[in-house]
Amino acid sequence: MRTRLSICAGKRRYPSVEAAGTAAAKADIVLRAYRCDRCGQFHLTSRTKGKRIARPA
C-alpha cells in the first residue's frame, strides 16, 4: 500500500534511518522509522500492526 500524499506532506522528513532513529529515541512513545515511497526519505510511525517487533529478552 502506498503512502497517501497528504500523509507524507504532514510528516517530518529525515534524510537517513539513523537520523529518524535518533528522533524516535527522544519520543515519549515507541516509534519506528520507515522509508516513504512518495518522497524517498524517512518518516516515523507508531503503527506496528503486521510488523514483527523484537520481544524484550
Side-chain angles (χ1 to χ4, degrees):
M1 175 181 268
R2 288 187 60 128
T3 303
R4 289 194 328 252
L5 189 56
S6 61
I7 297 297
C8 175
K11 289 191 171 189
R12 183 169 289 164
R13 293 178 174 97
Y14 298 94
S16 68
V17 70
E18 292 82 13
T22 301
K26 295 177 184 177
D28 294 335
I29 60 173
V30 176
L31 296 173
R32 178 181 66 81
Y34 69 95
R35 182 181 295 275
C36 178
D37 57 0
R38 292 286 184 166
C39 68
Q41 294 188 341
F42 292 88
H43 298 300
L44 298 176
T45 184
S46 61
R47 291 202 51 170
T48 57
K49 185 175 180 180
K51 303 296 178 193
R52 293 187 181 199
I53 305 298
R55 292 185 182 179

